[in-house]
Amino acid sequence: MTVQSLDLEVTGMSCAACASRLEKVLNRQTGIEASVNFASSRAVIARKAEAPDLAAIEKVIEKTGFGLVHVDTTLQITGMSCAACSARVEKVLNRLPGVAASVNLATERAQIRYISGAATEEKLVAVIEKAGFSAAPARDEVPGSNPASEQNRAWVDLWLTAVFCLPFIVEMSGMAFGQHGVVPIWIQCLCASVVQVYSARHFYRSAWHALRTGAANMNVLVCLGTTIAYAFSLIVTLLDLDLPVYFEASAFVILLVSLGRLLEARARHHAAAGLEALLNLKPETANRVEGEAIVTCPVSSLRKGDVFLVRPGEAVPVDGEVIDGETEINESMLTGEANPVLRRQGDIIYAGTLNTTGAVRARATSLGSETALARIVALVSKAQGSKAPIQRMADRVSAVFVPTIIIIAVLTFLIGWAITGNASWSLVSAISVLVIACPCSLGLATPTALMVGTGKAASAGILFRNAEALERVHRLNVLAFDKTGTLTMGAPRVHSLHPANGVSCDELLALAAALELNSEHPLGKAICREAQERGIDPSAKMERFRAIPGGGLEAWSDGRRYLVGTPAFLTNSGVDTTQLLSSEGPETIACLARDDDYLGAIGLSDQIRPEALRVIDVLHRQGIRSVMLTGDTPVMGEAIAREIGIDQVFAALKPEGKVDAIEGLRRPGQVVGMTGDGINDAPALAAADISIAIGSGSAAAMETADLVLMRSDLRAIPDALSLSKATVRKIRQNLGFAFGYNLAAIPLAACGYLSPAIAGGAMALSSVSVVSNSLLLNRWQSSEAPYTPPSED
């Protein structure tokens, strides 16, 4: 009896009783013997043949209240030549228990998620190699790029093939003028043999690996077609039969397919240019400060807390906090905006950004994969390697493409021979069918467009989390916005003071500042900043602070209770706020009280983003309804909405209220988006169909949002919509061309209208054309039209 041993890492156990409970639950399952260790957080499971599969075991563990650790890895795969190859690799990986894999032909990468203990990276590599391909952990380089030495060897092989094809060019030229046998048949045979044996060796190797594992790829078709043409011609030559030979067909098909593969690889490399540009931003060295000395060292040798110097014209090596000096930094690699921004003591500077003016010293805060640049590269790479839903149809076709073409080729030969009685003509037609069919264009149609689209977006400071997000963004019907920090600048200022009778403005502000002294709330910081600017000292010593979420603060001084917060908070606390005057304009009101005595109110306002009106107008022109979700008062929300043209306002919302509002906006067939800061609005972002984090490069935002806008500028939203439309349009063009090419070319080849050599050239060009069409996305520019304010009529 076969027994499988699993050593799984378990999460969520807090004590030995947890381990004991999980062990009992697992041992109740049929065919399972489990031992759970709390100290190591591991479950060692002996699984017999009749036991549930790993997916069922994971569900049991989750139902018990625990979880299993999953590992994400990316493998670089070589040897894939068409969509059938990538489908084969994906299939063998997904057969493994606890493994979910997505293989991308364009990037030549496999993104894999597996249960820790059920598989290892070494096992995954071994499975891929058994399927006939090579795999290794993905390096920090442009996906789909080949080392220069490999490309050079491929070009040398191509030129050698071209040299041995020269006699066939001479022969065909002579035939055009009615001269046959210009090149002796034995020279044709010799040249064709070199091409078939040497130049086509990569095709044969790949085809053999595919057939050995029970699959068929593009190389199987190429090898079948060229081998049949070559073998038929060789037999005719050796037996001196009175039949035509097709040495030129086999040789030229190999030449043209090899040329097409090289041009395709080159175009795919250009498709990844956006990510390559990001990778090139990483500096190799840093100026580490060691006492009074400045030492040039590799960036990899820096540690957290090290102090480094950045001179004018140098790139920032790692993320760090400025501790001395000030300068202007070009952060276009993060934000897409070329205008330098001032950075001084206390500010964060990011790896890869360019120092333009002064010299600064900074203390390293994030290294390696933790830097903003590394997170951006990882996110773009992941998006380029993911699959869009629109690709599923092409994947299904690719899975059965090669066997179907082989059947069509056999039928072409048999039916053609039966109808015409000409076996030679039927054989050539069948060879043309084998050669002209191209699953490569189907496999490259979507991923190449995604590579260009996501790279172009990254250069504009727009990061798509995955291909599905890029495909769906342009279908938005409703877009909800958080107010503070999204529609407004997120930096409120004291706008007005309304002291009660017997209280001065300075006294009101001093007490409010004393209450808010240690507050992290934006309104509290604004009150303290106003007091500091006016030279007012918050002299009252407050103690026993208590924060009331959504209400305000309570504190005590000299035995008296002080309150600051919303009017409703003070009223519920027993304070009479009837003296409060109604606010005029978009102000947030913070009221103060001592014991039960009302002391007055402070009006605060937040500046609306200057581009907000323009962006909302652009969205309206595209038929997208705008909604504001805010925790502020209805008066404040409505005032801002009127000013910038927001269609609907939901005010006085707590985080769970924003989630309910998102759910309420959903209608059949509608796609609802949410724009926020990526952290405070996390529940609402998670509830939306499309979540957009604005102005945040934080890891939290990148993990939760479908779309991250690296600059705090709402104009990036119309750009994201425009780029999404352009990319999806390009994908549809590519798929239409790929399907149309095969649907038109295969019948023409079957009817004898295309020779094998022409068929080989057309097949090679089909893939190059798809990739080249994707490269046209590099011409994309912002879709924003010059803004014309709405008419007053």
Side-chain angles (χ1 to χ4, degrees):
M1 181 181 292
T2 303
V3 177
Q4 180 188 17
S5 180
L6 299 171
D7 185 1
L8 307 178
E9 188 175 350
V10 182
T11 60
M13 294 191 297
S14 58
C15 62
C18 296
S20 177
R21 177 161 60 95
L22 178 59
E23 187 174 297
K24 288 180 181 178
V25 171
L26 288 172
N27 283 321
R28 290 188 197 131
Q29 310 304 311
T30 305
I32 285 181
E33 293 181 7
S35 173
V36 182
N37 188 313
F38 169 64
S40 62
S41 297
R42 307 196 76 85
V44 179
I45 299 173
R47 179 179 169 273
K48 299 178 182 178
E50 67 272 17
D53 60 18
L54 186 54
I57 293 173
E58 184 175 18
K59 287 181 180 179
V60 170
I61 293 173
E62 290 175 347
K63 191 174 181 180
T64 313
F66 309 103
L68 293 179
V69 173
H70 288 78
V71 178
D72 293 304
T73 189
T74 302
L75 297 180
Q76 189 78 40
I77 301 174
T78 54
M80 296 190 299
S81 58
C82 67
C85 296
S86 58
R88 175 64 181 165
V89 176
E90 192 169 292
K91 188 175 181 180
V92 297
L93 287 172
N94 286 323
R95 280 179 186 164
L96 298 174
V99 175
S102 174
V103 180
N104 190 305
L105 173 63
T107 62
E108 296 180 332
R109 291 192 175 195
Q111 291 186 354
I112 307 169
R113 184 175 177 83
Y114 61 92
I115 296 175
S116 177
T120 62
E121 202 169 75
E122 291 74 17
K123 183 178 180 181
L124 298 173
V125 169
V127 168
I128 294 172
E129 289 179 344
K130 188 177 179 181
F133 307 92
S134 298
R139 294 172 294 178
D140 193 13
E141 60 179 22
V142 180
S145 63
N146 295 318
S149 58
E150 291 183 18
Q151 291 190 21
N152 291 338
R153 283 197 300 271
W155 280 109
V156 169
D157 286 349
L158 180 67
W159 281 111
L160 182 65
T161 305
V163 168
F164 281 94
C165 285
L166 285 175
F168 301 115
I169 296 177
V170 174
E171 176 66 21
M172 288 188 290
S173 299
M175 291 171 61
F177 293 98
Q179 299 293 322
H180 295 273
V182 176
V183 178
I185 193 68
W186 66 269
I187 293 180
Q188 293 186 44
C189 180
L190 177 63
C191 291
S193 298
V194 173
V195 173
Q196 196 72 34
V197 174
Y198 177 77
S199 301
R201 66 192 187 283
H202 304 297
F203 300 128
Y204 280 106
R205 189 181 301 122
S206 174
W208 164 246
H209 285 309
L211 293 172
R212 190 185 64 181
T213 55
N217 59 16
M218 185 65 221
N219 289 329
V220 172
L221 297 181
V222 173
C223 290
L224 269 177
T226 58
T227 301
I228 291 171
Y230 171 76
F232 176 81
S233 302
L234 185 63
I235 292 171
V236 168
T237 301
L238 295 176
L239 298 181
D240 196 22
L241 301 176
D242 187 20
L243 290 171
V245 294
Y246 300 102
F247 286 127
E248 81 286 348
S250 63
F252 268 103
V253 165
I254 292 169
L255 173 66
L256 292 171
V257 172
S258 299
L259 175 61
R261 293 275 170 85
L262 274 171
L263 294 176
E264 174 193 313
R266 186 176 179 182
R268 277 159 51 188
H269 180 77
H270 287 307
L275 183 56
E276 182 178 24
L278 289 176
L279 287 169
N280 289 339
L281 292 171
K282 295 193 306 181
E284 298 295 328
T285 60
N287 303 315
R288 183 164 53 204
V289 178
E290 298 181 1
E292 297 298 322
I294 307 296
V295 179
T296 301
C297 64
V299 170
S300 58
S301 69
L302 284 178
R303 298 292 179 263
K304 283 187 180 180
D306 284 356
V307 176
F308 59 89
L309 172 70
V310 188
R311 301 185 181 96
E314 292 181 341
V316 179
V318 295
D319 292 1
E321 180 183 355
V322 177
I323 60 174
D324 183 41
E326 66 176 43
T327 186
E328 290 187 329
I329 301 282
N330 185 335
E331 296 184 349
S332 58
M333 52 74 64
L334 280 175
T335 65
E337 291 289 341
N339 294 330
V341 292
L342 181 65
R343 292 289 179 252
R344 51 168 65 108
Q345 187 174 347
D347 291 336
I348 299 296
I349 54 177
Y350 298 99
T353 57
L354 185 65
N355 185 19
T356 61
T357 53
V360 292
R361 296 190 181 206
R363 181 174 288 108
T365 57
S366 298
L367 308 172
S369 61
E370 298 175 354
T371 65
L373 176 61
R375 293 199 302 269
I376 291 171
V377 170
L379 190 66
V380 175
S381 181
K382 184 177 180 181
Q384 290 184 345
S386 62
K387 289 188 177 182
I390 198 172
Q391 192 175 347
R392 291 171 188 156
M393 176 176 60
D395 286 346
R396 287 195 294 269
V397 172
S398 298
V400 297
F401 188 92
V402 175
T404 303
I405 294 303
I406 293 174
I407 292 172
I408 292 174
V410 171
L411 291 175
T412 297
F413 174 73
L414 295 175
I415 295 173
W417 192 8
I419 293 176
T420 65
N422 188 335
S424 176
W425 180 90
S426 302
L427 180 64
V428 172
S429 298
I431 292 170
S432 297
V433 169
L434 290 170
V435 171
I436 202 166
C438 187
C440 306
S441 56
L442 289 173
L444 293 169
T446 300
T448 52
L450 289 173
M451 286 172 69
V452 180
T454 51
K456 190 71 177 175
S459 66
I462 303 169
L463 303 181
F464 290 95
R465 190 179 180 197
N466 50 45
E468 184 174 0
L470 178 60
E471 182 184 334
R472 296 182 64 205
V473 163
H474 78 283
R475 295 189 291 177
L476 277 175
N477 305 109
V478 181
L479 185 56
F481 295 87
D482 171 50
K483 180 180 72 69
T484 305
T486 303
L487 292 171
T488 65
M489 300 298 291
R493 302 280 303 184
V494 172
H495 184 262
S496 59
L497 297 170
H498 307 280
N501 293 332
V503 179
S504 68
C505 289
D506 286 356
E507 184 183 359
L508 180 68
L509 195 56
L511 286 172
L515 282 162
E516 300 282 8
L517 194 59
N518 297 313
S519 173
E520 290 298 318
H521 195 282
L523 296 180
K525 289 183 176 181
I527 290 172
C528 293
R529 184 170 56 248
E530 182 71 15
Q532 183 180 9
E533 290 176 359
R534 293 193 181 201
I536 296 173
D537 181 24
S539 54
K541 304 300 181 185
M542 300 289 178
E543 56 186 14
R544 293 163 56 192
F545 284 91
R546 185 169 71 97
I548 292 82
L553 282 173
E554 176 188 66
W556 295 79
S557 178
D558 296 331
R560 306 191 71 174
R561 183 183 68 159
Y562 288 84
L563 302 172
V564 61
T566 64
F569 168 60
L570 265 67
T571 300
N572 293 336
S573 301
V575 178
D576 182 7
T577 59
T578 54
Q579 296 182 54
L580 176 64
L581 301 175
S582 59
S583 174
E584 295 183 7
E587 277 192 337
T588 299
I589 298 298
C591 298
L592 273 82
R594 181 168 48 217
D595 294 330
D596 294 335
D597 298 328
Y598 176 73
L599 299 179
I602 299 175
L604 300 104
S605 61
D606 193 359
Q607 182 183 352
I608 296 172
R609 290 189 181 275
E611 76 277 6
L613 175 62
R614 177 176 183 172
V615 169
I616 296 301
D617 183 57
V618 170
L619 293 178
H620 287 166
R621 287 189 229 170
Q622 296 182 19
I624 299 173
R625 190 159 62 93
S626 57
V627 177
M628 181 197 294
L629 307 180
T630 178
D632 215 332
T633 63
V635 172
M636 183 72 169
E638 292 288 353
I640 291 178
R642 282 194 301 271
E643 189 169 341
I644 61 177
I646 293 284
D647 296 315
Q648 188 176 4
V649 177
F650 294 89
L653 297 178
K654 293 183 178 180
E656 58 270 22
K658 291 184 179 183
V659 174
D660 294 338
I662 292 291
E663 296 293 344
L665 291 170
R666 281 203 175 88
R667 299 288 184 274
Q670 285 200 328
V671 177
V672 179
M674 171 67 191
T675 305
D677 63 14
I679 300 173
N680 297 333
D681 300 303
L685 287 168
D689 298 318
I690 295 292
S691 53
I692 303 174
I694 180 170
S696 174
S698 67
M702 292 190 184
E703 287 301 318
T704 57
D706 297 309
L707 179 60
V708 180
L709 310 179
M710 297 303 294
R711 65 183 191 266
S712 296
D713 191 331
L714 293 173
R715 286 174 295 182
I717 294 176
D719 281 352
L721 295 173
S722 170
L723 189 53
S724 173
K725 287 180 183 178
T727 304
V728 171
R729 183 166 58 246
K730 198 60 66 178
I731 289 172
R732 287 171 178 163
Q733 289 173 1
N734 287 348
L735 287 173
F737 175 79
F739 279 111
Y741 163 83
N742 283 289
L743 289 174
I746 292 171
L748 288 174
C751 294
Y753 291 112
L754 298 173
S755 70
I758 294 175
M763 186 275 288
L765 287 174
S766 66
S767 297
V768 177
S769 299
V770 164
V771 181
S772 299
N773 188 45
S774 296
L775 287 173
L776 293 177
L777 268 174
N778 282 316
R779 297 161 57 185
W780 172 88
Q781 292 180 346
S782 172
S783 61
E784 291 185 46
Y787 177 62
T788 303
S791 172
E792 296 292 337
D793 297 336

